[in-house]
Amino acid sequence: NCRQCYCTNRQANNDGDDLKMELDMLVRSIVPSSPRTDNTNSVPGIDFVNHSNRQMPELLEGDVAHMDALAPGTMLGEFEILGLLGVGGFGMVYRAYDHSLDRVLAIKEYMPVALVGRAVGIAVSIRSTSDEPSFSAGLKSFMAEARLLAQFDHPSLVNVYRVWEANNTAYMAMPLYLGMTLKQARNQMHSPPQEAWLRKVIWSVLQSLKILHQSNILHRDVSPDNIFLQDVGPPVLLDLGSARRAVLDSSQKLTALLKINYAPIEQHAEAVDMLQGPWTDLYSLAAVVHGCLCNASPLPATFRVLRDGMPKMASVARTVKEQFGHSYSTEFVTAIQHALAIQPGDRPQSIDGFMAEMQLKHPGDMSRFDWRAEIGDEPNSSIDLQLQMSEPGQPEIAERAEST
């Protein structure tokens, strides 16, 4: 079970959204440093070597390469770039070393590669003057999102240490989280997670959404690859994607932004009677739970409007109980099904209303939450059972071989 790092960019989404512009985020294993025999300082995960009488972190193997990425050794104020962790359509994420506070962290650079490049030095330059409005809108939203997140102090929201503009772009410094996304974790599980485990994950996500909603902010991108399971600690909700929305909205490419399997119908529509609100994020979260039990992507809302072939949660719960012996309470199943209603007005209208319907209670101290230990499931099974959709409302079981 390798430990992995994630730096608030998006995981790969292979759920049929072939219109999505953003490149897949690359997640890489952390290589533990060897025990030291000298008296130099050390930081977990990196080794220090002496260059010109000063200590510098030695690069880990496996760093990503990109022609427009900042080179290792580049200084951004007190931050030294160690390597590129991942590239998205709207940003690059680096592993970096903070010389002032002696710590390793992540730095996200606003870098919409379709609009800008890096011809000379470390400054970015716009490829075409016609892209200036889109780039500027994205830059403004990138800064606004970072400042918004910096105001919050919640363990299930990304913590932003600092945000600044330089080199014709912007950067944000944030923690280097260890763990994996819910999407990755589900792919390693023998069976669907049990209700008690799901309730803890749902509770953490809802608390972060509640803070956003209280500030009149919707996430609008809740999905398995935006829920990050730390090795130890509460799940973290990732990536508001404000810069991505600003760029795409300015170019009228809204559908390219959506993960269609988790986006409710109002995110596809522009009608005034299809307003977005807390119920929008609740639909996405319920779709995550439904997909987690079925181990298959939920049916897109646009398909459901025409012919709702998505299996009902009650049917899914019965099938899981028959095949795996996992039971799910009536209030749990009912609340998820309610939040999956196609029409926005038919869903719970607030986080509190949804929690009350599910009878969701505080799970206790989540700072020590170990998702692997609590799920009681060893990953990498030789055989995995996958719920698939056949006839409308009737899930069926299919065997899928997995590599050991």
Side-chain angles (χ1 to χ4, degrees):
N1 299 335
C2 63
R3 296 200 306 168
Q4 295 181 313
C5 62
Y6 190 94
C7 310
T8 68
N9 256 24
R10 306 171 85 174
Q11 277 299 105
N13 175 29
N14 297 319
D15 299 327
D17 186 6
D18 55 358
L19 296 176
K20 187 180 68 174
M21 289 177 61
E22 185 167 5
L23 300 178
D24 295 337
M25 175 62 190
L26 301 175
V27 177
R28 187 181 50 75
S29 297
I30 289 292
V31 181
S33 57
S34 302
R36 299 206 58 85
T37 57
D38 54 25
N39 294 323
T40 59
N41 296 327
S42 64
V43 177
I46 62 174
D47 289 327
F48 282 82
V49 294
N50 195 305
H51 292 291
S52 303
N53 296 322
R54 75 180 182 89
Q55 293 175 355
M56 287 183 58
E58 183 177 352
L59 298 183
L60 296 178
E61 296 181 0
D63 285 327
V64 182
H66 191 280
M67 62 180 297
D68 288 324
L70 295 173
T74 300
M75 297 298 299
L76 299 173
E78 68 271 32
F79 304 116
E80 180 172 3
I81 299 300
L82 302 180
L84 179 65
L85 289 173
V87 181
F90 297 86
M92 296 190 181
V93 181
Y94 305 90
R95 183 166 49 88
Y97 179 65
D98 183 346
H99 284 268
S100 64
L101 295 177
D102 191 26
R103 62 181 176 181
V104 178
L105 42 66
I107 290 181
K108 185 175 183 178
E109 178 184 34
Y110 175 58
M111 186 75 175
V113 292
L115 307 180
V116 298
R118 209 184 315 265
V120 179
I122 64 175
V124 305
S125 58
I126 298 177
R127 301 185 189 278
S128 171
T129 55
S130 63
D131 293 327
E132 170 65 35
S134 294
F135 176 81
S136 297
L139 178 64
K140 182 178 179 180
S141 292
F142 181 94
M143 295 291 294
E145 177 182 326
R147 288 169 176 155
L148 174 69
L149 288 172
Q151 296 176 21
F152 302 133
D153 184 17
H154 192 277
S156 288
L157 279 174
V158 173
N159 186 13
V160 174
Y161 297 145
R162 182 184 166 194
V163 61
W164 71 102
E165 290 188 65
N167 307 315
N168 301 328
T169 188
Y171 309 88
M172 68 172 81
M174 52 200 168
L176 195 65
Y177 293 106
L178 298 179
M180 66 178 65
T181 66
L182 177 60
K183 180 177 180 178
Q184 289 177 307
R186 181 62 185 93
N187 288 336
Q188 293 189 9
M189 295 178 189
H190 284 188
S191 62
Q194 299 190 47
E195 180 178 343
W197 188 91
L198 284 169
R199 281 179 173 268
K200 291 187 176 183
V201 174
I202 291 171
W203 188 89
S204 294
V205 173
L206 287 176
Q207 297 313 299
S208 58
L209 287 176
K210 190 172 183 179
I211 289 177
L212 295 176
H213 293 175
Q214 288 172 346
S215 298
N216 297 317
I217 299 294
L218 300 177
H219 189 281
R220 295 189 289 184
D221 196 17
V222 179
S223 61
D225 50 358
N226 273 338
I227 298 173
F228 191 76
L229 303 177
Q230 299 186 75
D231 285 345
V232 178
V236 178
L237 184 61
L238 305 171
D239 195 10
L240 297 182
S242 297
R244 181 172 60 257
R245 275 191 293 272
V247 171
L248 293 176
D249 286 349
S250 67
S251 60
Q252 303 299 312
K253 295 178 181 177
L254 177 62
T255 54
L257 149 70
L258 300 176
K259 291 195 179 85
I260 60 173
N261 300 92
Y262 302 95
I265 191 63
E266 62 268 25
Q267 286 189 266
H268 297 266
E270 297 181 359
V272 294
D273 60 342
M274 284 281 189
L275 296 178
Q276 299 183 35
W279 50 89
T280 302
D281 287 337
L282 287 174
Y283 179 97
S284 298
L285 179 58
V288 168
V289 175
H290 188 283
C292 199
L293 293 188
C294 291
N295 200 21
S297 302
L299 199 66
T302 48
F303 291 10
R304 297 183 64 203
V305 168
L306 300 175
R307 180 173 180 265
D308 191 2
M310 178 184 286
K312 302 296 184 184
M313 268 298 294
S315 179
V316 172
R318 284 195 301 270
T319 304
V320 172
K321 183 175 181 179
E322 292 172 359
Q323 297 296 326
F324 303 100
H326 299 174
S327 297
Y328 300 88
S329 65
T330 300
E331 56 268 20
F332 181 87
V333 171
T334 301
I336 296 298
Q337 186 63 51
H338 189 188
L340 283 171
I342 297 174
Q343 297 300 322
D346 294 338
R347 301 178 214 139
Q349 297 296 288
S350 68
I351 298 293
D352 288 340
F354 179 72
M355 292 176 63
E357 184 174 359
M358 187 178 282
Q359 299 182 21
L360 190 63
K361 298 179 180 179
H362 194 301
D365 183 14
M366 290 291 288
S367 65
R368 300 180 182 276
F369 179 66
D370 182 333
W371 71 267
R372 292 181 182 87
E374 298 211 17
I375 205 168
D377 188 27
E378 291 297 327
N380 297 325
S381 169
S382 58
I383 293 292
D384 184 27
L385 294 179
Q386 181 177 8
L387 281 171
Q388 297 181 331
M389 291 175 287
S390 54
E391 295 301 321
Q394 296 297 323
E396 66 177 12
I397 298 296
E399 290 190 353
R400 184 183 67 189
E402 294 285 349
S403 59
T404 56

